[in-house]
Amino acid sequence: MTDLSKIRNFSIIAHIDHGKSTLADRLIQHCGGLTDREMSEQVLDNMDIEKERGITIKAQTVRLNYTARDGETYELNLMDTPGHVDFAYEVSRSLAACEGALLVVDAAQGVEAQTLANVYQSIEHDHEIVPVINKIDLPAAEPERVAEEIEEIVGIEATGAWEEGGAVLTSAKSGIGIEDTLEALVRRIPAPTGDRDAPLKAMLVDSWYDPYLGVVILVRVMDGVIKKGLNVKFMQGGTQHLIDRVGCFTPKRTDLPELGPGEIGFITAQIKEVEQARVGDTITTVKGGAEKALAGYKEVQPVVFCGLFPVDAADFEKLRESIGKLRLNDASFSYEMESSAALGFGFRAGFLGLLHLEIIQERLSREYDLDLITTAPSVVYRVHLGHSKTEDAKTIDIHNPADWPDVNRIETIEEPWIKAVIYTPDEYLGAILKLCQDRRGIQTDLTYVGGRAQVSYELPLNEVVFDFYDRLKSISRGYASFDYEQIGLREGDLVKMNILVNAEAVDALSLIVHRSVAEERGRGMCERLKDLIPRHLFKIPIQAAIGGKVIARETIAALRKDVTAKCYGGDITRKKKLLEKQKKGKARMREYGNVSIPQEAFIAALRMGEE
Amino acid sequence: MARALYIHWPFCIAKCPYCDFNSHVRKTADTDQWRDALLADMHHEHLQAVSEEPLTSIFFGGGTPSLMPPALVAGLLQEAEHLWGFAHDIEITLEANPSSVEAANFADLAAAGVNRVSLGVQSLHDEALRFLGRLHGADEALQAVAVAQDRFERVSIDLIYARPGQSEADWHAELARALSLGTTHMSLYQLTIEPSTRFATDVRQGVFEPLDDDNAADLFGLTRAMTAAAGLPAYEISNHAAPGQESRHNLTYWRYQDYLGIGPGAHGRRCETATVRHRKPENYLAAVAAQRHGIAEARALDRAEQASEALLMGLRLAEGVDLADMARRFGGNPAALIDQAKAQLYHDLGMVWSHGDRFGVTEQGMPLLEALLGELVASDLVAS
């Protein structure tokens, strides 16, 4: 156990590509956590997807032992927080486990919008923030300008020498300024507080599933001591467990006899499902435990839903198993079985956000080798129903268009809104404003910093879940960044739009849309489907309808010729092969109103491109 | 019960750019060697398909069988008659090019026993014949038709239509003229671009564009209307005949009765077995030399496969198929052969008909037969 005054808990705030992982690697290396040989690039990001996208999904910590210039050895706990707005709650718990943060800013690029949101969050947690200007050896580096920018935009001291409260100048890539960074950490970030003799209070920061250890729980001890053999209870989850292992990561997993106040480390307690280890829960002893749980616990609610169906119906069991396995490590998504007339058996799954949805989808296809059809993402609508002959008035939450109630009973509908902050080079601003405007956005703020604009919009989440982010990236050539937070429910004139193929509604293509954009969406869907569904033996009407009212229509002309003119002698082989191919092709399509709809059509039709 | 014998002669003077049949261009073919090989192959089939039934039809196909020396044709026919015997009304057809050289052989071929010729006229326009890579001209073809009508009891002509850029008026005029020749049978094929042909390469390289399906469908309708009006209605997708003048040999295929096939690349169906001969002439000769027959593969067909084949072939015919009869032949019950829900759908759309046990494709459905088969043939019958 380390004396409280020798502990420093901190996170690193940085925009993607500004060098957070490289800096972390250097700090670890400097403190001897890993030999040069053991350093694989960016130790912290374990999963392939994290590496590829540069996004951290699970919080991780590394304990470093740093002998400072004052001769004392400090225990530094580097907290790597999940890096995306979808995981805002997890981020907030990780931050609550720290007393300070390094703010890493690229010496050429300057402060980015996304970084700001994280900085403010950190400031809300009363963190001491140490600015680090990285990549100072780049030809385009302007550390002085960036230091001024930090002072101006973020509002913390950054100019002047780091010893006097200014920013630390580094090049993580070249190993410049690493020790200065560690010194600044020790000198400027406050030590944690806590009482060793008080009843145990440890915050559950995050948890994940390890095939050998079961559920591994990351904790920050606030008061008391946690050690092997202790009987603990999770105050929110209500379960009791026997601690069987205590330790930390250096970044190698290292067992310790105990964790005292102010320390960050892990415990295991033979827990099989991460669901039992909820982020933000308070861990205390069964006997003589704390009376009050730590503040800030929140049940995580999925905000975006979609259907996940196997392309090959025979893969349903495999999908069930794979989702189950993913869920072992990620309690923040929910799923339940769903059956669709068009797509067969599958699951309705709920996610923390779009990125989260994409990550799960990608992991299913990549790690479990599943071909999936994903239905249009939906948000959760709050529908207020009037009374009927058999039922009183009530309020229901709906995230599946299939469950949309009878319109006659609907009194009002509320939909979730978000506040989006977009930061972009100003040449793309016009197109971005139009995009937001088209998506029913309300502009609340617009400011310029240098050649960049920061624009804030209030937007209905259902306008964002389609392809808002893709559109934003494409119109800004990838330069615009986007950040959002939920700001609650607002009433909206929403309707369920059905797509009818050959007069039959295709459940998988139904959408909840705002009445003002329904016609345009409907027309787009019909046009795309017209190109995606092959000609049949009869003509096929494709319609978009709200209730009984058709708002858009296209027709696929009937096929007129498909015949082999000549049979060679008695050679039937080729015709038979053709028939086999036809049958195989059909097995990969979904039949609706006698129309075979190819899988690609479901996926492509939902892509709300505004070509 | 019909018993048909197919004999394949694989040689051509030149390869036509649309043709994907088993044809080969060779400077010479050793007549004696080929006679011995085909006879040995014939003997093998006789041993496999023992029965007292006489042959009801023989068909010399190719390649260009009109290039066979008439004495070779005569020798093969004599041996066939010796082995199986001939039904009294046996139909013996030979495919012939309508060139003056080949027309000169018609009398000898008739004397050898051939009583029906199928002339590959292909077009009555010189320009179209050149496009199709044919070596004869239109006038020469017309003369050959006249000679053939003189020498043989029955004459059929082949034409290829739905050529690039062909209009309804063009085809109307050409077909009217062909009908006026007075043959009692016509095979009218739409030009299709087959893989691994020169035309396939041409299309890929943009040398020409095939007629689009909508126009081709119009020409198909026109063809059926004109031939019906002229007394030669379609009895199969591409075949038209005066009543009673249908090709009995080809009906054997379409009705899925047994047929024996000898010669390079020939296919046969006998005793629930599918046979295929070696395609390349040299390989075929070597196989016969080694094993006294040219079979490359003989494969037993299970009942489901036979049923699906019978449907693929039978639904090409205007007369359709007899589902009860098929169920007797291949087991199961008649309703299990066809996807019943789809049959109802396409019946309502006027594309199929059914009368009692008979089931078939209507005039309206014929140009879409391939797509219809994919819908109608019960999935259980098709290998996955």
Side-chain angles (χ1 to χ4, degrees):
Chain A
M1 189 208 108
T2 311
D3 185 79
L4 274 169
S5 67
K6 300 287 182 295
I7 299 174
R8 299 291 183 272
N9 297 318
F10 69 103
S11 69
I12 304 180
I13 302 165
H15 186 70
I16 283 176
D17 295 336
H18 281 196
K20 168 169 133 176
S21 299
T22 317
L23 180 64
D25 289 354
R26 287 292 177 195
L27 298 179
I28 295 166
Q29 205 180 12
H30 187 91
C31 299
L34 285 175
T35 62
D36 290 354
R37 196 171 50 78
E38 287 169 318
M39 290 293 292
S40 79
E41 284 260 319
Q42 302 180 0
V43 176
L44 292 175
D45 293 347
N46 277 327
M47 281 187 266
D48 279 353
I49 295 174
E50 295 193 358
K51 275 199 181 136
E52 271 166 38
R53 297 184 167 225
I55 295 161
T56 308
I57 298 164
K58 289 280 176 194
Q60 295 174 71
T61 57
V62 180
R63 176 178 296 194
L64 308 172
N65 288 309
Y66 172 63
T67 306
R69 289 176 192 159
D70 63 9
E72 299 279 350
T73 298
Y74 291 83
E75 172 190 323
L76 308 182
N77 289 303
L78 161 57
M79 172 74 70
D80 195 23
T81 62
H84 191 274
V85 59
D86 282 0
F87 306 101
Y89 175 65
E90 282 82 348
V91 174
S92 78
R93 294 306 85 199
S94 296
L95 294 179
C98 301
E99 283 77 33
L102 296 179
L103 166 62
V104 181
V105 180
D106 185 301
Q109 313 258 322
V111 180
E112 298 278 1
Q114 254 170 321
T115 326
L116 277 184
N118 292 337
V119 173
Y120 293 140
Q121 236 187 331
S122 198
I123 292 172
E124 273 171 40
H125 283 91
D126 287 329
H127 283 181
E128 178 64 36
I129 294 172
V130 178
V132 175
I133 298 176
N134 192 28
K135 304 194 189 181
I136 54 158
D137 53 349
L138 283 183
E142 294 178 82
E144 294 82 13
R145 180 186 65 80
V146 170
E148 279 166 24
E149 199 179 278
I150 292 171
E151 292 195 344
E152 188 185 318
I153 299 172
V154 185
I156 57 172
E157 194 181 337
T159 53
W162 70 263
E163 294 90 342
E164 277 135 47
V168 185
L169 303 181
T170 66
S171 166
K173 209 173 154 206
S174 312
I176 301 168
I178 304 305
E179 202 182 320
D180 291 347
T181 307
L182 291 162
E183 278 300 312
L185 267 172
V186 168
R187 292 192 206 170
R188 279 153 65 174
I189 292 179
T193 54
D195 180 357
R196 187 178 166 81
D197 301 319
L200 174 65
K201 256 189 191 179
M203 183 176 65
L204 200 159
V205 178
D206 208 346
S207 65
W208 60 87
Y209 185 80
D210 180 292
Y212 302 104
L213 304 175
V215 173
V216 177
I217 297 169
L218 197 62
V219 294
R220 155 73 197 263
V221 179
M222 299 301 181
D223 287 318
V225 177
I226 199 164
K227 58 177 107 176
K228 189 177 165 178
L230 203 60
N231 252 316
V232 294
K233 71 175 176 199
F234 293 175
M235 296 179 77
Q236 304 288 351
T239 54
Q240 297 190 4
H241 307 275
L242 179 69
I243 305 273
D244 60 8
R245 193 184 291 263
V246 175
C248 68
F249 299 96
T250 66
K252 284 177 283 196
R253 185 164 52 77
T254 308
D255 288 352
L256 294 172
E258 60 170 51
L259 291 170
E263 288 191 299
I264 296 175
F266 74 87
I267 57 169
T268 65
Q270 305 214 343
I271 298 171
K272 301 228 160 38
E273 289 168 31
V274 282
E275 202 177 351
Q276 293 188 319
R278 300 183 200 168
V279 172
D281 205 341
T282 305
I283 301 170
T284 189
T285 48
V286 174
K287 271 189 209 146
E291 280 177 12
K292 241 180 102 193
L294 295 162
Y297 174 76
K298 194 165 89 173
E299 292 251 357
V300 179
Q301 295 291 346
V303 292
V304 176
F305 288 80
C306 77
L308 296 171
F309 294 86
V311 165
D312 182 350
D315 279 344
F316 174 73
E317 276 309 318
K318 192 172 161 196
L319 174 61
R320 183 210 293 275
E321 239 173 68
S322 310
I323 288 191
K325 278 187 199 153
L326 281 187
R327 161 88 192 177
L328 274 181
N329 202 16
D330 184 354
S332 56
F333 83 94
S334 64
Y335 67 98
E336 58 187 36
M337 224 181 102
E338 181 181 17
S339 80
S340 145
L343 304 175
F345 288 110
F347 295 95
R348 186 85 189 162
F351 306 91
L352 296 179
L354 278 178
L355 178 90
H356 190 209
L357 183 158
E358 256 179 68
I359 288 169
I360 296 291
Q361 202 183 317
E362 207 167 309
R363 292 190 65 186
L364 285 170
S365 67
R366 194 183 299 193
E367 293 168 33
Y368 298 95
D369 195 25
L370 280 162
D371 264 350
L372 293 179
I373 299 176
T374 314
T375 64
S378 168
V379 301
V380 184
Y381 299 95
R382 180 151 293 171
V383 183
H384 302 280
L385 300 174
H387 67 86
S388 72
K389 277 179 191 147
T390 53
E391 244 185 342
D392 290 339
K394 62 174 180 177
T395 296
I396 52 174
D397 284 347
I398 289 183
H399 60 71
N400 189 345
D403 302 329
W404 203 247
D406 176 9
V407 263
N408 296 320
R409 269 196 76 189
I410 299 178
E411 292 197 329
T412 52
I413 303 162
E414 289 177 282
E415 59 176 327
W417 278 63
I418 58 163
K419 181 185 171 202
V421 179
I422 299 165
Y423 197 65
T424 176
D426 53 14
E427 58 196 291
Y428 307 117
L429 185 64
I432 290 170
L433 294 182
K434 182 176 183 309
L435 174 68
C436 293
Q437 226 55 52
D438 289 348
R439 301 296 173 99
R440 301 192 277 137
I442 300 165
Q443 199 188 104
T444 56
D445 191 24
L446 175 61
T447 53
Y448 289 91
V449 181
R452 302 191 155 226
Q454 181 186 305
V455 57
S456 301
Y457 261 92
E458 289 176 356
L459 283 157
L461 183 59
N462 89 341
E463 298 289 337
V464 176
V465 293
F466 283 109
D467 60 346
F468 183 85
Y469 196 47
D470 287 344
R471 297 280 312 147
L472 183 70
K473 274 193 291 192
S474 94
I475 58 181
S476 70
R477 292 162 196 260
Y479 284 111
S481 70
F482 165 72
D483 200 1
Y484 74 89
E485 59 176 319
Q486 294 201 64
I487 53 171
L489 296 167
R490 289 184 191 174
E491 200 173 317
D493 187 6
L494 296 153
V495 289
K496 176 179 176 179
M497 181 172 79
N498 283 316
I499 299 294
L500 289 79
V501 172
N502 207 20
E504 232 180 274
V506 181
D507 55 2
L509 295 175
S510 294
L511 287 179
I512 306 300
V513 291
H514 194 264
R515 198 183 295 277
S516 66
V517 297
E519 197 181 319
E520 191 197 323
R521 291 286 155 77
R523 212 177 318 119
M525 287 272 263
C526 290
E527 280 166 14
R528 267 189 300 280
L529 283 169
K530 188 185 174 187
D531 294 335
L532 292 164
I533 298 175
R535 283 169 84 177
H536 276 53
L537 289 156
F538 39 87
K539 79 171 188 233
I540 305 168
I542 298 174
Q543 297 157 302
I546 297 171
K549 190 178 164 233
V550 173
I551 53 169
R553 182 192 166 104
E554 291 283 339
T555 305
I556 301 174
L559 189 67
R560 293 204 48 211
K561 195 195 100 173
D562 182 9
V563 66
T564 310
K566 193 170 187 177
C567 267
Y568 163 65
D571 183 7
I572 308 171
T573 332
R574 198 185 293 173
K575 286 177 55 59
K576 213 163 52 184
K577 288 225 171 85
L578 185 72
L579 184 67
E580 284 164 14
K581 213 173 117 194
Q582 278 175 318
K583 291 283 187 193
K584 234 174 249 163
K586 274 189 212 298
R588 282 183 68 85
M589 298 204 206
R590 305 292 176 181
E591 194 160 288
Y592 244 98
N594 291 311
V595 176
S596 297
I597 306 179
Q599 309 293 354
E600 312 83 74
F602 287 99
I603 300 162
L606 298 169
R607 213 162 276 149
M608 282 286 156
E610 289 145 40
E611 302 88 7
Chain B
M1 193 68 176
R3 176 188 290 285
L5 172 66
Y6 177 80
I7 301 171
H8 192 81
W9 186 255
F11 302 112
C12 286
I13 293 172
K15 183 99 187 165
C16 299
Y18 55 85
C19 175
D20 69 333
F21 290 178
N22 187 29
S23 60
H24 302 264
V25 178
R26 299 283 186 278
K27 287 224 168 61
T28 55
D30 181 331
T31 306
D32 290 338
Q33 195 184 10
W34 277 97
R35 178 190 296 111
D36 292 347
L38 290 169
L39 286 175
D41 215 12
M42 196 189 287
H43 278 265
H44 179 78
E45 284 302 304
H46 178 250
L47 289 174
Q48 301 303 309
V50 184
S51 102
E52 297 304 309
E53 274 184 79
L55 292 174
T56 51
S57 69
I58 298 174
F59 196 104
F60 289 92
T64 312
S66 53
L67 295 174
M68 289 170 86
L72 174 55
V73 173
L76 293 170
L77 289 176
Q78 272 163 27
E79 190 61 19
E81 183 167 23
H82 169 72
L83 291 172
W84 287 282
F86 284 174
H88 73 281
D89 58 347
I90 187 168
E91 171 192 283
I92 301 175
T93 306
L94 182 133
E95 284 181 335
N97 274 341
S99 76
S100 51
V101 178
E102 282 149 295
N105 276 339
F106 285 176
D108 290 340
L109 287 168
V114 174
N115 58 22
R116 183 174 180 272
V117 282
S118 171
L119 292 170
V121 173
Q122 314 311 8
S123 172
L124 297 176
H125 294 304
D126 285 336
E127 198 190 330
L129 287 169
R130 277 194 296 277
F131 169 72
L132 294 168
R134 305 297 295 182
L135 301 174
H136 62 266
D139 288 340
E140 194 182 3
L142 291 173
Q143 280 166 25
V145 173
V147 176
Q149 282 172 314
D150 214 24
R151 299 286 182 229
F152 300 101
E153 291 165 44
R154 295 160 71 196
V155 175
S156 173
I157 59 171
D158 286 10
L159 293 177
I160 295 176
Y161 73 106
R163 302 187 297 257
Q166 192 173 31
S167 70
E168 277 197 55
D170 290 347
W171 175 233
H172 187 282
E174 190 175 5
L175 181 56
R177 187 147 172 242
L179 284 165
S180 73
L181 299 176
T183 62
T184 54
H185 189 282
M186 286 179 128
S187 299
L188 305 170
Y189 298 114
Q190 293 210 332
L191 177 64
T192 51
I193 307 300
E194 301 294 343
S196 328
T197 59
R198 206 199 76 208
F199 273 179
T201 311
D202 287 350
V203 169
R204 198 169 54 242
Q205 296 179 345
V207 177
F208 70 87
E209 219 177 290
L211 194 68
D212 72 67
D213 283 354
D214 287 345
N215 285 324
D218 291 339
L219 295 186
F220 186 82
L222 175 66
T223 304
R224 291 174 86 88
M226 287 179 70
T227 51
L232 267 69
Y235 67 99
E236 189 258 1
I237 298 284
S238 305
N239 284 276
H240 305 256
Q245 297 299 309
E246 297 85 1
S247 163
R248 259 173 271 159
H249 184 84
N250 285 336
L251 280 175
T252 311
Y253 300 150
W254 294 322
R255 288 173 177 161
Y256 203 62
Q257 290 159 340
D258 277 10
Y259 49 96
L260 313 171
I262 66 167
H267 287 255
R269 288 286 182 283
R270 43 130 165 106
C271 316
E272 307 193 40
T273 303
T275 62
V276 192
R277 257 60 184 178
H278 285 279
R279 281 173 66 88
K280 202 177 160 197
E282 293 73 19
N283 296 351
Y284 173 80
L285 289 175
V288 177
Q291 60 191 23
R292 303 309 293 159
H293 63 74
I295 295 177
E297 192 194 349
R299 191 169 61 87
L301 298 170
D302 66 33
R303 293 295 173 94
E305 203 172 348
Q306 290 180 57
S308 75
E309 290 193 349
L311 285 169
L312 286 180
M313 295 305 254
L315 291 174
R316 296 180 71 85
L317 293 172
E319 68 182 27
V321 295
D322 184 323
L323 294 174
D325 180 53
M326 283 185 60
R328 274 191 297 277
R329 284 177 71 189
F330 310 120
N333 73 71
L337 295 165
I338 298 286
D339 183 319
Q340 295 298 318
K342 295 291 186 185
Q344 187 60 50
L345 169 68
Y346 292 107
H347 184 271
D348 294 344
L349 289 168
M351 293 184 183
V352 302
W353 55 263
S354 78
H355 300 302
D357 293 331
R358 292 207 77 85
F359 178 81
V361 174
T362 62
E363 279 288 305
Q364 197 194 327
M366 279 298 176
L368 295 159
L369 181 67
E370 232 64 65
L372 273 175
L373 287 170
E375 295 276 274
L376 293 170
V377 176
S379 296
D380 293 348
L381 301 180
V382 183
S384 54

